[in-house]
Amino acid sequence: MEEYDIIIIGAGPGGLTAGIYAGRQGTSTLMLDKGPAGGLGLEVPSMENYPGYEMIAGMSLINEMKKQAIKTTELKQMEEVLSIKHHNDKFHIKTKNGEYAADAVILSTGSQHRKLGVPGEEEFLGRGVCYCATCDGPLYAGKKVLMIGGGNSAAQEAVFLKNLGCDVTLVHRRDELRAEQYLQDQLKEHDIDIIWDSGVEEIKGDNFVETVTLKNLKTSEVTEHQVNGIFIAIGDEPMNQLAKELGVDLDPSGYIITDKFQRTNIPRVYAAGDITGGFKQWVIACSEGAVAAMAAYEDLQKI
Ligand code: NAP
């Protein structure tokens, strides 16, 4: 079994920053990710609010952060953590490839896309149903798509799709958007139509999506829309299975509760990034990752 001072689970913006800090502090650290490093950060088409860059794509920033982190910290990608146990004052982590032990753990497991839960959503996944405009958008250039959601992600991704040449219409369940004003302004500037007060009833097609049925939630009017694709950006849900396994305290929405040093209720278990809930911003995830690594370092000196 390989032993480390710190194991970081999840290598998104929070986890990678924790890796940068932990490695530079001289602790032996391993970062594990079930996919490629980056998490949902890889899907961000462009960011205009990360300090130091007027605009940068999520994928580019992840690449830079990853290069920096692996100078001092080991990274294993495509290695999902299957279980985590705490005994004899160590954390024992089992992945599909091996077993590891650590004195401290930073949970930066992030969140996953929320599903609409309507007929056709699962059936047409990858055949017209998409959750990532950055990944799948280019396939829909010149085609007609709906973007579902009224938050920052939906607005940002709708603009991204429009810029790719998609004929995109936003669909929101209320009559006002949750998205920040600058993104609402961009929707107007790009002449993106919005269907208000409407929810998706069903997604239909043969091999690929052909129609989406919408219901006006105020009038109950049902309309059918011929489209080639439907992008869903209706928020996300915490990836908290490992936190639950360890007995980490969660808030009512399932996000990890921490103090201002990112410590959880379990000694030498910290949390950083989207898994802590609150404002889901890249810069906040990074900040939490740095704090978690520094707190872990401090606590490890006391063992
Ligand atoms: P979000 O802020 O939670 O917004 C989700 C949107 O989807 C809301 O408009 C919500 O409607 C709608 N929705 C939720 N469940 C739905 C359902 N079952 N059917 C239809 N609509 C539904 O999620 P997000 O936009 O993915 O953003 C996630 C986090 O990342 C947020 O904290 C956001 O600020 C952050 N983010 C920031 C940026 C940026 O700073 N530029 C960019 C992207 C994301 P209601 O409004 O009616 O609740």
Side-chain angles (χ1 to χ4, degrees), residues 39-53:
L40 292 186
L42 291 170
E43 300 183 5
V44 177
S46 68
M47 257 183 302
E48 296 177 38
N49 53 10
Y50 188 81
Y53 295 91

Side-chain angles (χ1 to χ4, degrees), residues 8 10-21 38-41 44 47 49-51 61-62 65 106-111 258 261-262 270-294:
I8 299 165
L16 285 171
T17 309
I20 292 168
Y21 273 74
L40 292 186
V44 177
M47 257 183 302
N49 53 10
Y50 188 81
L61 190 51
I62 286 294
M65 292 176 72
I106 299 175
L107 296 171
S108 44
T109 44
S111 52
T258 66
F261 296 102
Q262 304 307 127
Y270 314 81
D274 283 2
I275 189 61
T276 66
F279 295 118
K280 290 181 183 150
Q281 294 289 310
W282 197 295
V283 70
I284 294 174
C286 293
S287 151
E288 291 184 356
V291 173
M294 293 174 88

Side-chain angles (χ1 to χ4, degrees), residues 71-86:
K71 280 188 174 169
T72 51
T73 296
E74 198 177 338
L75 168 65
K76 290 182 192 256
Q77 301 176 90
M78 317 309 284
E79 186 160 342
E80 184 171 8
V81 174
L82 303 175
S83 77
I84 180 164
K85 305 260 182 275
H86 188 203

Side-chain angles (χ1 to χ4, degrees), residues 84-101:
I84 180 164
K85 305 260 182 275
H86 188 203
H87 57 85
N88 294 338
D89 228 17
K90 291 239 181 237
F91 297 94
H92 297 266
I93 289 168
K94 203 180 265 182
T95 71
K96 59 176 188 171
N97 297 345
E99 289 187 33
Y100 309 94

Side-chain angles (χ1 to χ4, degrees), residues 194-236:
I194 303 179
I195 299 176
W196 300 103
D197 300 313
S198 296
V200 177
E201 290 276 284
E202 191 172 359
I203 301 164
K204 289 188 279 195
D206 191 3
N207 278 329
F208 289 88
V209 169
E210 288 169 13
T211 60
V212 172
T213 310
L214 299 180
K215 182 177 182 181
N216 185 300
L217 303 171
K218 284 188 174 155
T219 64
S220 293
E221 186 195 358
V222 172
T223 49
E224 198 155 75
H225 300 257
Q226 291 203 326
V227 294
N228 305 102
I230 170 170
F231 285 79
I232 301 165
I234 58 166
D236 43 41

